[in-house]
Amino acid sequence: MQAARRRERERKQAQAQARRRNNHSSIESALRALGSKDTNFSRVLFEDFLYALYAEVQAARGKGTLDALGSYLAEGAIAAYSPYPAAEVRDVVIGAMRFEAVVAQSKPVRRIELVVGFEVNYTEVSAEGEEQSFWVSEKWRLVRDPDVKSRPPEKTRLFGCPNCGAPQDKSIGSKCPYCGAVASTGELDWTVFSIDIEAREPRGPMLTGTTEEVGTDLPTIVAPDTKSKWSALTEKDPDLRWSSWKARVEAIFQAFHEGWSSQNLALVRPYLSDHLFQSQHYWIDTYRKQKLRNITEDARIISIDLARVLSDAHYDAVTVRIFASCRDYTVDGDGKVVAGSETKERAYSEYWTLIRGAERRGTPRVDPVCPNCGAPNAKINMSGACSHCKAHITAGEFDWVLSRIEQDEVYRG
Ligand SMILES: [Zn+2]
Ligand SMILES: [Zn+2]
């Protein structure tokens, strides 16, 4: 009897706590719940900001200048790295990033709080010049006033003073030496208030092991408003049809596998966001250094499920789950198979997110040309600009580009 009463009391406490904590399934819904005035919030840009901030933090750690990021990192977050001194941190490749909790807090102050999980590979160089690669898993907790205006796209990757924009190289702690603003707990921009380094394993990327495909038989995670959001998107742009959009995905998929298998990223560069291109570039480089080549032969899409549509002031983002199949194997410098199978089909599924500028309209292109001037894809350089018309095209300025690939076990919707 007593045990039952205790369980009841615990259940009520947990419920009250959940109400107080106010968990949300997305940042957008938490902002809405708080009556946020930030109409510029864009998930695409925010994810870009987080990728950039993570890389900036690791670079600063290597240079010993983490204090200069005091406008974005609270002291406790900076202290998380003090057990791991390094003279340089490089080859930072974020393998996975996900929102693990979104909390809308209305008392004592209105704040949106996030828990972001990162899985990352990086290489540290010690003061003695020794190199060691690591795989790490970290949890970052961030907070922001819901009314702070999100940055415009061109300022997403800059980490100056969140008040006046001045460079922070001379700043000490969280005070800007130019305007005197003190950034604390998310009043001016997102602040990372804690970092937990949950795992840190001294190992480089594993290229030849056999990894079992997990999660392919799980049901597709479909956001509840997907259908209505897709309808709204096609109403905004009547030239956008599911069939033509899917055809663009097919074209990107083919270019992606051709580029990957031949280790020639020029083939796929026009279709990848800058972040995704950098990580693909890193992986191909890593295979090359070990004189290995991973081949995904006869890669083809079996089916595509629509999973999520996001539209904001800057971007439209469409996520699909792709079911595909290929023969996946790795060869060494002599062409000998060292992993996978040349003959066995491997079925798998992944979530792909494509983005396009919110102002753009028109039928997605499937021909391998610059979506602005029609010059052949070969004219598009590694920084994502067309050398013929000079336009940058890989942030979805003209047509849909692939910005994220997430595995079944990572994607949370
Ligand atoms: Zn300032
Ligand atoms: Zn062009």
Side-chain angles (χ1 to χ4, degrees), residues 187-240:
E187 272 164 36
L188 297 170
D189 206 337
W190 292 98
T191 309
V192 184
F193 65 92
S194 79
I195 294 174
D196 288 320
I197 299 167
E198 297 186 314
R200 188 176 131 100
E201 295 168 15
R203 59 171 164 90
M206 289 188 279
L207 302 182
T208 51
T210 317
T211 44
E212 275 304 308
E213 197 59 42
V214 283
T216 301
D217 43 9
L218 292 173
T220 301
I221 302 169
V222 181
D225 59 0
T226 303
K227 265 199 175 147
S228 60
K229 286 271 185 66
W230 175 264
S231 298
L233 191 57
T234 52
E235 242 164 70
K236 184 173 90 168
D237 179 4
D239 288 331
L240 184 67

Side-chain angles (χ1 to χ4, degrees), residues 284-309:
I284 284 191
D285 223 43
T286 307
Y287 274 101
R288 272 216 189 112
K289 276 184 197 151
Q290 300 189 22
K291 298 205 165 38
L292 296 171
R293 189 158 65 96
N294 179 236
I295 297 164
T296 50
E297 205 162 62
D298 202 14
R300 63 201 183 280
I301 294 178
I302 308 219
S303 65
I304 298 179
D305 284 358
L306 183 59
R308 190 183 67 191
V309 179

Side-chain angles (χ1 to χ4, degrees), residues 161-166 168 176-181:
C161 166
N163 187 46
C164 73
Q168 297 290 275
C176 172
Y178 296 92
C179 71

Side-chain angles (χ1 to χ4, degrees), residues 4-41:
R5 260 207 303 274
R6 196 180 64 230
R7 270 202 303 278
E8 178 62 14
R9 196 172 61 232
E10 280 170 358
R11 193 179 62 81
K12 281 197 170 140
Q13 276 171 352
Q15 273 178 350
Q17 203 176 6
R19 267 200 302 278
R20 258 201 314 280
R21 299 290 295 164
N22 237 323
N23 281 287
H24 285 261
S25 59
S26 74
I27 301 169
E28 292 87 343
S29 111
L31 286 171
R32 267 196 307 276
L34 289 166
S36 163
K37 298 186 183 78
D38 179 22
T39 49
N40 271 335
F41 179 81

